[in-house]
Amino acid sequence: MEIGTDTSKASELLQSGAVVAIPTETVYGLAANALEAQQVAQIFDLKQRPAFDPLIIHLASADDLDLYVKDRGPYFDALYKAFSPGPISYVLPKKAIIPDLVTAGHPTVAVRFPSHPLCQELLQKLDFPLAAPSANLFGRVSPTEAGHVAEQFPEEIPYILNGGPAAIGLESTIIDLSSEQPIVLRLGGLGLEEIEVVLGRPVQFTKSSSSNPKAPGMLSAHYSPGIPLVHGKIDQQIQNANRKRSGTISFCKKIAAIPEEQQRVLSPKGDLKEAASKLFSALRSFKAADVDVIFAEEFPDEGLGRAINDRLRRASVA
Ligand code: AMP
Ligand code: MG
């Protein structure tokens, strides 16, 4: 396995059918040619991802979008103009050229246009979209640096394209534009409020049925740091815990009772964007700290704070 910044090499590997790890502004992805089911199947194998969980396809721009989707619907153009390239994925009716494996059998496909410059450079060299979920084992914390990917997959992938630390650090916000009303299916790197401003009306948030499979709790447990995590009103619980062996994740304030080196204050200046970009690294960092439990406070229920709370809630489900 090699880590480097050579998009020609990444592009050649992808064209020859390999899986390559790619940087994006949200998190690092495990990418393959989205038009070839066998190549996409390698991603599911590597991640041990269940086949009912669909992947997002990535394109440099919407120029070729109509090759892959049947209809953009009435809202796509305004959202694309405002937010793409960037941390938003659009669910649209798919054309037959997109294999069913990519969409887990859904008649719709999620499409994103990443803004990361190296990712853009790579996508522009390819004449197919990249199917890419986050480059971690299923259910674990998403990687926001090339080194996180190398740790998770030391042998299995030939190349990690290194684009530095992910600027946003949370997965994309997913909006379903395939039915009459736009519906946000996953909170992520773009706040719901910003979408509402562009559409000029309130937008519903409903968890997608694919994140809500019949076996309860399967996907509600996600982002596991490998250590029990408690999320919510934590003050009282910290008082009753073994504080020497507890870690904390807080927004801007230190937590007096906990040893400093076991605390992760995500943004001392109170900036939710900064906090979001540090969340996954913070979760990951407790592996090396000697703690038995992580207490994560509730973040403000607005903007990226809602996506942070969503990830922490799911990290708290064992
Ligand atoms: P990620 O794990 O970040 O690659 O994002 C993939 C997630 O996107 C899935 O778990 C689904 O929640 C969502 N998704 C992708 N494609 C679709 C689709 N066609 N319909 C609904 N949700 C989708
Ligand atoms: Mg993921």
Side-chain angles (χ1 to χ4, degrees):
M1 192 266 296
E2 196 188 326
I3 304 184
T5 56
D6 184 352
T7 55
S8 298
K9 175 158 188 172
S11 138
E12 279 158 28
L13 282 163
L14 288 161
Q15 287 174 55
S16 73
V19 170
V20 168
I22 59 164
T24 83
E25 69 280 17
T26 59
V27 301
Y28 275 72
L30 272 189
N33 180 345
L35 306 182
E36 295 293 338
Q38 287 193 359
Q39 295 170 23
V40 173
Q42 301 176 79
I43 297 176
F44 283 90
D45 271 2
L46 278 168
K47 278 192 64 115
Q48 298 165 28
R49 183 178 175 109
F52 61 71
D53 198 3
L55 306 182
I56 296 170
I57 69 166
H58 298 74
L59 287 166
S61 76
D63 291 355
D64 291 336
L65 183 61
D66 299 334
L67 296 174
Y68 311 114
V69 310
K70 285 183 180 157
D71 180 12
R72 301 178 179 205
Y75 304 104
F76 176 83
D77 287 340
L79 292 171
Y80 181 82
K81 189 161 172 247
F83 302 123
S84 293
I88 177 170
S89 300
Y90 309 93
V91 173
L92 295 165
K94 85 174 187 80
K95 283 192 169 164
I97 189 172
I98 302 293
D100 289 331
L101 181 61
V102 170
T103 68
H106 289 281
T108 53
V109 62
V111 189
R112 189 165 93 78
F113 311 91
S115 65
H116 191 291
L118 217 52
C119 187
Q120 272 286 332
E121 193 181 302
L122 172 64
L123 288 168
Q124 280 164 18
K125 288 186 169 147
L126 300 169
D127 59 0
F128 49 79
L130 290 178
S134 53
N136 53 275
L137 286 171
F138 181 70
R140 307 315 289 258
V141 178
S142 305
T144 52
E145 293 176 23
H148 299 161
V149 185
E151 244 167 64
Q152 187 95 98
F153 301 106
E155 307 288 346
E156 299 87 337
I157 43 179
Y159 197 62
I160 299 175
L161 189 60
N162 187 357
I168 307 245
L170 283 182
E171 294 84 352
S172 59
T173 297
I174 301 177
I175 187 162
D176 186 353
L177 301 179
S178 70
S179 37
E180 232 158 83
Q181 302 299 322
I183 299 172
V184 167
L185 301 179
R186 175 175 76 186
L187 299 169
L190 179 69
L192 198 57
E193 298 90 335
E194 293 184 65
I195 294 175
E196 290 178 329
V197 168
V198 168
L199 294 182
R201 58 192 201 138
V203 174
Q204 265 191 57
F205 164 58
T206 317
K207 281 190 194 148
S208 68
S209 55
S210 57
S211 332
N212 249 340
K214 299 220 171 63
M218 275 194 76
L219 287 187
S220 59
H222 213 93
Y223 310 104
S224 165
I227 299 167
L229 183 143
V230 177
H231 174 233
K233 306 231 177 314
I234 54 174
D235 292 357
Q236 194 58 46
Q237 298 189 66
I238 288 174
Q239 296 312 315
N240 300 331
N242 179 351
R243 280 163 275 170
K244 285 209 180 88
R245 298 197 52 86
S246 300
T248 55
I249 295 179
S250 58
F251 181 25
C252 41
K253 291 203 189 83
K254 287 189 188 160
I255 294 176
I258 302 291
E260 192 122 352
E261 65 279 8
Q262 287 154 220
Q263 295 195 41
R264 307 290 178 266
V265 182
L266 298 190
S267 176
K269 63 174 189 272
D271 175 1
L272 284 170
K273 272 203 165 144
E274 181 184 26
S277 73
K278 295 197 170 147
L279 175 67
F280 288 144
S281 282
L283 277 172
R284 198 174 280 276
S285 71
F286 286 111
K287 263 273 160 81
D290 217 9
V291 303
D292 302 326
V293 59
I294 304 164
F295 293 101
E297 74 179 10
E298 184 88 26
F299 280 64
D301 188 34
E302 63 186 30
L304 297 190
R306 296 183 65 185
I308 294 173
N309 285 327
D310 168 77
R311 303 303 186 269
L312 288 171
R313 200 172 302 123
R314 290 198 265 165
S316 76
V317 178

